[in-house]
């Protein structure tokens, strides 16, 4: 079997991402207040796989020292997590909680002590419940409170953190909380969703403005889940149009204002025509224009396939879905546990889009990964899990990323999701993603085969790929 060696640029960041709410546990300890997840779980535990809630997620709050040593063992030179707003400022606004300041200081120092570069994100779906009660992202008061939280983080930790991001996948709380009912507050209303999306975007720009005022030695960006929308039939104008509109709503609604400082005109026209343009103030537009990102993080898991609307659908409220239908491509390679298509070429397409249409801004893969149910089946005698399917998934995606880098894409790193098996929202611990397995009984950790693979890749800055996995669209 032929193998190809893909060498990555010098100084490439290798590692993984997690988030505070999915890994820390200690959900209501040491003064942390409830997030919408803590609240929703109390109300409707049956909405969570096996009724496992967010209370003890992977115990990073207690075990961070040992866990960070494991990150080093599996080859991390960089690592992302998030600061939980509800932990740092339990009332949503006002003074930070000293216990939380101590935890985040110690955690950041422990990461740095291992020679690992910390990337810190400020919002990962974890709205404090007290802020949701004030209207969540629909409220401008909450926008201001978030900006205060962001500023507090910069003041407390900005001497050591050189890579900040304002949001992780800001479109997901819009989809989950206001369109498709998989996040609290479980609303289905496209007009309110548009307001939530706009206020989130404004919050990001305002946080960036605060960061810039402080003249700190670091950079700030945003993490977007760019799911390319592929039309069912590229020769069918209506399919192509439907895919373009889907892209406007779910990718470009954050990508364009974050990178270019303004919204796509076609998106504004549609929202205006349909009478769902969000409330905005004239000066907001200057804030968005003047506070674009330094770098972009891209989470990529799956593409989206789209076809034109096949039959009239009537909605009680405005929904973006009036413009397109989702389409399941026959013969697509699937991850059956998550129900997501596996399509590595999209990573190349994303890279080319950023290169050609977004000024070749610096960017990195901030999440990519494969969740698998029942990994116990692959446990070997020495106790480790032989997750060759995961290594193959990463190899194939990295080969496609490498091709784009060779063609000039400005990509500076690759973070997988995730280091240690962690809690996945409604899916709880159903699908495991980690390089390191976590036993939910005694919380012990065990490096999987993919953890050793990452160490090798990061030490050599090279990915060795079987010919059968190489991109075939040269
Ligand atoms: C991303 C999120 O959407 O995908 C993570 O940033 C999430 O928080 C990850 O855990 C994997 O998705 P899921 O739904 O399987 O956990």
């Amino acid at each position: 079997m032929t193998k190809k060696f893909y060498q990555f640029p010098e100084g490439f960041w290798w590692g993984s991402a997690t988030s505070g709410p999915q890994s820390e546990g200690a959900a209501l300890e040491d003064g942390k207040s409830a997030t919408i997840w803590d609240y929703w779980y109390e109300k409707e535990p049956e909405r969570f796989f096996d009724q496992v809630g967010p209370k003890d997620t992977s115990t990073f709050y207690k075990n961070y020292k040992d866990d960070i040593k494991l990150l080093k063992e599996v080859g991390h030179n960089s690592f992302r997590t998030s600061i939980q707003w509800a932990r740092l400022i339990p009332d949503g606004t006002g003074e930070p909680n000293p216990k939380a300041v101590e935890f985040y200081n110690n955690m950041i120092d422990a990461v740095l002590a291992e020679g690992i570069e910390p990337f810190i994100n400020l919002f990962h779906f974890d709205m404090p419940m007290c802020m949701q009660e004030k209207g969540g992202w629909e409220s401008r008061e909450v926008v201001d409170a978030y900006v205060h939280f962001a500023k507090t983080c910069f003041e407390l930790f900005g001497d050591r953190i050189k890579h900040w991001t304002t949001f992780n996948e800001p479109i997901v709380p819009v989809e989950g909380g206001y369109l498709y009912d998989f996040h609290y507050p479980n609303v289905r209303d496209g007009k309110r969703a548009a307001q939530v999306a706009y206020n989130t975007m404004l919050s990001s720009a305002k946080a960036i403005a605060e960061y810039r005022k402080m003249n700190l030695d670091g950079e700030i960006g945003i993490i977007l889940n760019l799911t390319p929308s592929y039309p069912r039939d590229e020769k069918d104008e209506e399919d192509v149009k439907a895919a373009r509109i889907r892209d406007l709503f779910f990718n470009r609604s954050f990508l364009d204002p974050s990178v270019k400082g303004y919204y796509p005109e076609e998106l504004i026209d549609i929202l205006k025509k349909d009478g769902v343009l969000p409330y905005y103030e004239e000066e907001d537009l200057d804030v968005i224009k003047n506070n674009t990102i330094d770098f972009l993080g891209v989470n990529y898991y799956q593409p989206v396939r789209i076809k034109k609307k096949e039959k009239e659908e009537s909605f009680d409220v405005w929904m973006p879905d009036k413009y397109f239908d989702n389409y399941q491509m026959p013969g697509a390679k699937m991850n059956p546990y998550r129900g997501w298509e596996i399509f590595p070429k999209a990573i190349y397409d994303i890279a080319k889009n950023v290169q050609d249409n977004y000024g070749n801004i610096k960017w990195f893969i901030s999440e990519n990964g494969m969740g698998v149910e029942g990994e116990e089946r692959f446990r070997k005698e020495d106790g480790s899990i032989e997750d060759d399917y995961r290594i193959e998934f990463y190899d194939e995606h990295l080969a496609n990323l490498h091709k784009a880098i060779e063609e000039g894409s400005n990509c500076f790193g690759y973070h997988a999701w995730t280091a240690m098996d962690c809690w996945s929202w409604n899916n709880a611990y159903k699908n495991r993603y980690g390089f390191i397995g976590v036993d939910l009984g005694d919380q012990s950790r065990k490096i999987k085969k993919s953890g050793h693979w990452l160490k090798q890749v990061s030490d050599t800055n090279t990915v060795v790929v079987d010919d059968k996995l190489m991109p075939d669209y040269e």
Side-chain angles (χ1 to χ4, degrees):
M1 194 185 303
T2 331
K3 291 195 184 284
K4 188 154 180 188
F5 290 73
Y6 292 102
Q7 171 103 42
F8 281 75
E10 208 176 308
F12 206 68
W13 293 121
W14 295 103
S16 70
T18 190
S19 74
Q22 292 176 273
S23 64
E24 286 174 13
L28 297 174
E29 285 175 36
D30 285 348
K32 180 181 162 292
S33 67
T35 65
I36 52 173
W37 295 94
D38 301 310
Y39 175 82
W40 187 23
Y41 177 71
E42 280 304 309
K43 224 173 113 207
E44 290 187 281
E46 66 283 0
R47 294 289 306 266
F48 296 79
F49 184 77
D50 272 352
Q51 304 216 5
V52 174
K55 189 163 160 275
D56 290 322
T57 60
S58 301
T59 60
F60 184 68
Y61 188 74
K62 292 197 179 72
N63 291 319
Y64 70 93
K65 284 189 189 140
D66 291 339
D67 288 342
I68 290 164
K69 289 201 180 93
L70 282 176
L71 296 182
K72 187 72 186 173
E73 254 184 72
V74 298
H76 284 55
N77 61 19
S78 50
F79 165 65
R80 165 166 64 107
T81 188
S82 68
I83 292 177
Q84 294 199 69
W85 182 359
R87 188 180 297 289
L88 192 72
I89 306 183
D91 295 334
T93 186
E95 291 303 308
N97 170 13
K99 285 267 185 204
V101 176
E102 189 187 335
F103 167 67
Y104 288 118
N105 265 327
N106 290 343
M107 187 271 288
I108 289 167
D109 290 345
V111 172
L112 286 165
E114 290 295 341
I116 299 173
E117 180 70 16
F119 284 54
I120 292 290
N121 175 46
L122 295 176
F123 190 90
H124 200 121
F125 313 164
D126 52 341
M127 179 64 79
M129 194 56 207
C130 55
M131 292 286 100
Q132 189 62 42
E133 280 160 359
K134 290 195 182 297
W137 292 121
E138 287 180 275
S139 147
R140 289 182 75 105
E141 193 184 335
V142 173
V143 171
D144 293 341
Y146 165 82
V147 175
H148 166 74
F149 157 65
K151 188 168 176 238
T152 307
C153 290
F154 304 146
E155 282 165 356
L156 289 167
F157 314 113
D159 56 334
R160 284 152 292 159
I161 300 303
K162 309 293 176 205
H163 293 91
W164 292 97
T165 52
T166 55
F167 284 87
N168 174 80
E169 303 189 350
I171 196 70
V172 170
V174 178
E175 296 176 75
Y178 295 87
L179 292 172
Y180 308 125
D181 182 28
F182 60 91
H183 281 202
Y184 191 79
N186 316 95
V187 168
R188 279 180 188 271
D189 183 337
K191 186 169 168 42
R192 290 175 65 183
Q195 190 66 60
V196 165
Y198 174 76
N199 286 356
T200 312
M201 184 56 232
L202 179 63
S203 304
S204 177
K206 285 191 163 189
I208 293 174
E210 288 304 323
Y211 186 69
R212 296 260 151 79
K213 272 193 229 154
M214 293 169 74
N215 265 319
L216 287 161
D217 172 24
E219 297 195 319
I220 188 157
I222 194 166
I223 290 170
L224 304 179
N225 50 316
L226 298 182
T227 43
S229 304
Y230 296 102
R232 170 182 54 185
D233 178 356
E234 278 183 13
K235 292 196 195 79
D236 181 324
E237 271 178 34
E238 287 182 71
D239 280 353
V240 171
K241 185 176 172 199
R244 191 178 71 242
I245 293 181
R246 205 270 172 199
D247 189 48
L248 282 171
F249 283 131
F250 293 98
N251 293 322
R252 296 187 59 194
S253 54
F254 282 97
L255 182 58
D256 283 43
S258 293
V259 179
K260 299 181 174 174
Y262 53 86
Y263 283 93
E265 252 172 55
E266 191 179 0
L267 175 63
I268 300 175
D269 289 347
I270 294 172
L271 296 176
K272 253 192 202 154
K273 172 174 75 62
D274 289 356
V276 293
L277 198 64
Y279 168 82
Y280 70 100
E281 293 173 10
E282 226 26 69
E283 57 264 33
D284 297 349
L285 304 183
D286 285 332
V287 176
I288 292 172
K289 184 162 162 238
N290 297 325
N291 294 288
T292 54
I293 51 172
D294 297 320
F295 68 92
L296 175 68
V298 175
N299 292 354
Y300 171 69
Y301 290 89
Q302 51 155 352
V304 173
R305 303 207 180 261
I306 296 295
K307 60 183 180 184
K308 65 188 164 215
K309 210 82 216 142
E310 296 213 310
K311 37 180 172 357
E312 275 293 306
E313 211 179 330
S314 69
F315 298 100
D316 320 343
V317 288
W318 184 85
M319 290 291 272
D321 307 65
K322 69 186 259 200
Y323 290 103
F324 56 82
D325 277 342
N326 290 302
Y327 167 68
Q328 189 77 42
M329 189 176 74
K333 182 173 169 188
M334 297 297 289
N335 170 354
Y337 316 103
R338 192 61 183 85
W340 284 347
E341 182 182 341
I342 298 179
F343 186 62
K345 179 177 179 279
I347 257 188
Y348 172 84
D349 292 339
I350 291 170
K352 297 311 280 184
N353 182 31
V354 171
Q355 183 174 359
D356 297 343
N357 302 315
Y358 294 89
N360 204 10
I361 188 171
K362 296 195 271 204
W363 73 287
F364 77 122
I365 288 287
S366 39
E367 281 181 35
N368 179 224
M370 186 180 182
V372 171
E373 189 172 2
E375 283 201 312
E376 281 307 311
R377 280 172 292 158
F378 306 107
R379 197 176 285 287
K380 295 289 144 200
E381 271 169 20
D382 69 354
S384 73
I385 285 173
E386 210 162 71
D387 51 347
D388 290 295
Y389 42 87
R390 180 166 291 114
I391 297 173
E392 186 170 304
F393 178 96
Y394 287 140
D395 278 347
E396 213 173 346
H397 283 79
L398 280 161
N400 282 274
L401 179 62
H402 188 271
K403 182 172 158 62
I405 294 173
E406 267 184 339
E407 291 175 19
S409 168
N410 206 357
C411 175
F412 63 80
Y414 179 88
H415 281 180
W417 184 268
T418 185
M420 283 174 322
D421 288 343
C422 68
W423 185 78
S424 270
W425 318 111
N426 302 73
N427 277 329
Y429 282 93
K430 174 179 173 287
N431 302 316
R432 305 302 181 94
Y433 283 86
F435 290 121
I436 300 162
V438 174
D439 182 324
L440 294 188
D442 61 8
Q443 288 294 326
S444 61
R445 280 64 166 141
K446 183 92 189 161
I447 297 176
K448 301 181 195 172
K449 189 172 176 185
S450 59
H452 300 294
W453 166 88
L454 178 67
K455 170 89 173 117
Q456 172 80 10
V457 165
S458 148
D459 284 354
T460 56
N461 211 21
T462 302
V463 178
V464 185
V465 179
D466 283 353
D467 56 357
K468 67 170 183 45
L469 302 179
M470 288 174 202
D472 58 1
Y473 49 93
E474 310 283 336

